[in-house]
Amino acid sequence: MRQGDLGRNDSVSTIGMARWLEDARIRVRLPRFERLVRARGFGPYQIVFVSQSVERLAATHRTDTDIRVHTGIRRIGRSSFTFEQAVFVGSERVGSGEATVLLLGSAGALALPDELIADLTALAMPDSSETAVTRPAAERQQRDHYPYFAPLRARIGDVDSNQHVNFIALATWYDDAVAAYTSAALGVGEGGLAPDLSPSSYRINYVGEVTYPGNYEIGVLVRSFDAEAVHYELGIFLGGTCLGVADAIGARGELSAESLAPGGLH
């Protein structure tokens, strides 16, 4: 466990857990496909994310040592495939996630080669399926869907080898937007301490590329809430163009029903 994986309550944050899932995916070996690429039998290509999710199910502390991430394949499509992952501390499941990735060439999506399909099939979960990935409703990509916006500027350190803002960095942007929203709802002024109500789960869908430089806005809508949790809908915008949407669940804390109701905060 790294210091940067910990949240303000000294247990691993949702973003920290997303990094664990990424680390585990990077370590997955695809030997047939790797040989094909080395022999220049496939490519050039990029791996781009269609969607990902992460859910923190229980607190994980710096003293926990027996931490394992299990990774398998849930779905194999024509041009994309989906990882399914689970995080365990000992025998306790403390987190889970999914990630759907697409192989992209200069002319668009590439069909998965037979060698990659064979590798993925060897990693397939027992009840894997080829069910199509559900995409959010079109209204989620409209600016007027969101009553509150938090401004953010892309940083050069957010840019990855594909020359766009990395998906983990984008997840932190959603964290920033929820923090801005909850701070405004609780009347925390400049210089005050933002409430620790960051989401315990994210489901993120990527619509377009977020690049540097750029001044962006994150739209925030409270879809529903109860005594314990707030369900958020979020969207990244550059002007009127939506580049990604997310669903998140965060703690309610001291947030009032009035500030969470439609029209309660703008």
Side-chain angles (χ1 to χ4, degrees), residues 1-7 13 15-16 19:
M1 183 182 298
R2 298 159 295 201
Q3 180 68 29
D5 295 335
L6 299 175
S13 67
I15 302 302
R19 293 191 187 100

Side-chain angles (χ1 to χ4, degrees), residues 106-121:
S106 58
L110 300 171
L112 303 183
D114 292 341
E115 291 84 349
L116 178 54
I117 291 173
D119 285 334
L120 296 173
T121 300

Side-chain angles (χ1 to χ4, degrees), residues 190-213:
E190 187 173 347
L193 181 62
D196 189 8
L197 301 175
S198 59
S200 59
S201 72
Y202 281 109
R203 179 167 292 278
I204 300 171
N205 287 268
Y206 305 97
V207 178
E209 288 194 356
V210 179
T211 58
Y212 174 90

Side-chain angles (χ1 to χ4, degrees), residues 125-163:
M125 308 287 286
D127 55 346
S128 61
S129 70
E130 296 190 10
T131 304
V133 177
T134 302
R135 303 290 286 174
E139 65 187 28
R140 298 281 302 277
Q141 298 183 34
Q142 304 301 315
R143 275 190 68 93
D144 59 10
H145 181 70
Y146 303 93
Y148 177 87
F149 283 87
L152 282 166
R153 180 170 177 78
R155 301 164 298 185
I156 189 61
D158 295 334
V159 178
D160 63 17
S161 60
N162 287 330
Q163 304 306 312

Side-chain angles (χ1 to χ4, degrees), residues 40-59:
R40 301 186 184 277
F42 183 80
Y45 70 96
Q46 284 185 320
I47 295 176
V48 298
F49 279 80
V50 176
S51 64
Q52 71 162 326
S53 68
V54 55
E55 184 176 12
R56 182 165 40 89
L57 301 172

